[in-house]
């Protein structure tokens, strides 16, 4: 009997404590499940909890990403930041790896991916400075650099940065002409990226790595005008190239004719020089041969006895022979006045020969 009383007295307090804690545990579990299942669309669960904080979402229960449940021991994935709230207030950011949470007090309210992600910017209309309506879409590459600001600085940073990119794109397009938009797409991307980073990096903890315009769709009439412009430009280039080809062809032909004339004149000049050199060489050879013959004749006359008489006789014969030739070849006949006196005629011929000899002798002495 005593043992039964002792046992009952030792068990009764634990049973009482269990009965008192059981409703509290059930109530806390229900609140945690409610906040995680019916919370806002950005995976937040701050506040007092319960159905009073329910915000409608476009995603159903199975489509919405669930927040990690507090199971005391958790493993945080790499490149992921878990925002922990303790009793509804920010407590800490869990690093990757093993971590411990206090049950009922700690709750993972936000999960932010630290990887680079791409956000598709939907198609929108923008008007250029020359009043041309364009339809553009793009892709935005972002990365969370501060998980605290990305969670508490803005309700939904992806939606906010997408809207900021659209408004910035319209503003930048409005300050440029159509030709500038088509030619300076890279500078347009850089300007939009700078404007987004000025607002998102310090306030929202999100960095815009790059922004790329994917497609630009001008109106159909503008496309037709651009096609006509391209066709006209190509026709102009073709005509210019054709005229340049004709001009160059004529220049080449004239240059060829000029070179041909120059080469012909050079050839003629060289031919005349060669002919003159040949004639001079021939005259020189003839004169040398004549001089050599005269020297031999003079030597023979001087060394041969009776040579002068033989020369005188030869001169007289040639003199008379030439008079005969004059009468045969022309109608005009030169008749010496003393034709009947052949002796005087021969004597005059010999006197001419002797006079020439004296002249050569005097010249040689001098």
């Amino acid at each position: 009997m005593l043992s039964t009383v002792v046992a009952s007295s030792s068990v009764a307090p634990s049973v009482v404590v269990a009965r008192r804690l059981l409703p509290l545990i059930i109530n806390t579990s229900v609140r945690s499940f409610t906040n995680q299942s019916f919370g806002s669309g950005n995976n937040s669960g701050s506040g007092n909890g319960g159905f009073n904080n329910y915000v409608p979402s476009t995603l159903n229960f199975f489509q919405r990403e669930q927040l990690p449940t507090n199971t005391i021991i958790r493993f945080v994935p790499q490149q992921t930041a878990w925002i922990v709230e303790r009793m509804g207030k920010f407590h800490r950011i869990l690093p990757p790896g093993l971590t411990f949470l206090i049950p009922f007090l700690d709750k993972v309210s936000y999960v932010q991916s630290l990887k680079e992600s791409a956000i598709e910017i939907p198609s929108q209309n923008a008007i250029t400075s020359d009043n041309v309506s364009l339809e553009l879409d793009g892709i935005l590459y972002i990365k969370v650099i501060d998980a605290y600001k990305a969670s508490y600085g803005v309700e939904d940073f992806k939606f906010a940065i997408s809207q900021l990119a659209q408004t910035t794109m319209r503003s930048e397009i409005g300050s440029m002409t159509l030709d500038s938009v088509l030619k300076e797409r890279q500078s347009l991307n850089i300007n939009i990226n700078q404007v987004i980073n000025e607002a998102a990096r310090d306030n929202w903890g999100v960095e815009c790595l790059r922004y790329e315009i994917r497609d630009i769709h001008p109106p159909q009439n503008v496309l037709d005008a651009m096609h006509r412009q391209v066709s006209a430009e190509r026709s102009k280039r073709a005509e210019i190239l054709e005229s340049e080809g004709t001009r160059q062809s004529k220049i080449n032909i004239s240059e060829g004719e000029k070179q041909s004339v120059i080469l012909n004149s050079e050839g003629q000049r060289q031919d005349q020089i060669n002919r003159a050199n040949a004639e001079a060489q021939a005259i020189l050879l003839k004169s040398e041969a004549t001089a050599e013959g005269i020297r031999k004749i003079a030597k023979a006359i001087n060394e041969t006895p009776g040579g002068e008489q033989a020369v005188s006789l030869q001169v007289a014969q040639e003199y008379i022979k030439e008079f005969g030739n004059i009468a045969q070849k022309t109608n005009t006949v030169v008749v010496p006045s003393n034709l009947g006196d052949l002796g005087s005629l021969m004597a005059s011929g010999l006197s001419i020969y002797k006079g020439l000899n004296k002249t050569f002798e005097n010249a040689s002495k001098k």
Side-chain angles (χ1 to χ4, degrees), residues 62-77:
F62 297 100
Q63 292 175 331
R64 188 162 50 245
E65 183 180 357
Q66 299 299 314
L67 293 174
T69 306
N70 185 352
T71 58
I72 301 176
I73 299 176
R74 297 292 304 195
F75 295 95
V76 181

Side-chain angles (χ1 to χ4, degrees), residues 14-272:
S14 62
V15 173
V16 173
V17 172
R19 288 179 179 179
R20 291 181 179 180
L21 289 179
L22 183 59
L24 179 62
I25 294 173
I26 294 174
N27 189 17
T28 305
S29 301
V30 170
R31 286 186 179 182
S32 176
F33 175 77
T34 302
N35 292 334
Q36 294 177 9
S37 302
F38 300 98
S40 60
N42 63 341
N43 295 335
S44 64
S46 60
N48 296 325
F51 290 94
N52 295 328
N53 293 333
Y54 169 71
V55 178
S57 175
T58 57
L59 301 178
N60 58 34
F61 176 80
F62 297 100
Q63 292 175 331
R64 188 162 50 245
E65 183 180 357
Q66 299 299 314
L67 293 174
T69 306
N70 185 352
T71 58
I72 301 176
I73 299 176
R74 297 292 304 195
F75 295 95
V76 181
Q78 184 67 31
Q79 289 297 99
T80 305
W82 288 8
I83 309 298
V84 176
E85 293 180 352
R86 177 168 292 178
M87 293 183 293
K89 183 180 178 181
F90 171 77
H91 176 59
R92 60 173 175 154
I93 300 176
L94 298 181
L98 177 64
T99 186
F100 297 93
L101 299 175
I102 300 176
F104 313 122
L105 298 180
D106 292 341
K107 183 185 69 172
V108 179
S109 300
Y110 298 92
V111 174
Q112 303 293 350
S113 175
L114 303 182
K115 301 176 183 178
E116 181 179 349
S117 59
I119 300 177
E120 183 177 359
I121 306 300
S123 179
Q124 60 177 332
N125 292 326
I127 300 177
T128 62
S129 61
D130 51 353
N131 297 325
V132 178
S133 178
L134 300 177
E135 186 178 353
L136 307 95
D137 58 358
I139 298 178
L140 188 65
Y141 297 90
I142 63 173
K143 183 179 181 180
V144 175
I145 58 176
D146 191 338
Y148 178 84
K149 292 182 179 180
S151 301
Y152 297 101
V154 64
E155 183 70 22
D156 187 352
F157 69 86
K158 291 186 178 181
F159 176 76
I161 204 169
S162 174
Q163 296 299 312
L164 180 59
Q166 294 183 26
T167 55
T168 305
M169 181 190 298
R170 292 194 191 99
S171 177
E172 292 292 332
I173 294 294
S175 62
M176 302 174 65
T177 61
L178 176 61
D179 294 337
S180 300
V181 172
L182 297 178
K183 292 179 182 178
E184 302 176 4
R185 182 181 295 189
Q186 187 63 30
S187 62
L188 180 61
N189 294 336
I190 294 174
N191 293 336
I192 296 175
N193 190 13
Q194 291 177 352
V195 173
I196 294 174
N197 280 328
E198 290 176 359
R201 184 185 291 112
D202 296 333
N203 299 324
W204 303 337
V206 180
E207 181 181 8
C208 178
L209 301 179
R210 54 192 175 276
Y211 179 84
E212 298 291 339
I213 296 177
R214 187 166 55 183
D215 292 323
I216 299 178
H217 301 287
Q220 187 61 38
N221 56 347
V222 176
L223 285 176
D224 296 338
M226 293 172 63
H227 291 163
R228 290 195 299 269
Q229 182 181 1
V230 171
S231 300
E233 186 68 23
R234 292 188 180 276
S235 300
K236 175 185 174 182
R237 290 182 183 178
E239 292 177 358
I240 291 174
L241 292 176
E242 185 178 359
S243 62
E244 288 289 337
T246 304
R247 173 175 171 271
Q248 191 64 35
S249 175
K250 291 181 179 180
I251 291 174
N252 293 338
I253 292 173
S254 61
E255 287 289 337
E257 294 176 353
K258 175 183 175 182
Q259 292 295 329
S260 177
V261 172
I262 292 173
L263 292 177
N264 289 333
S265 63
E266 290 290 337
Q268 293 178 0
R269 174 174 172 272
Q270 191 64 36
D271 182 65
Q272 292 177 359

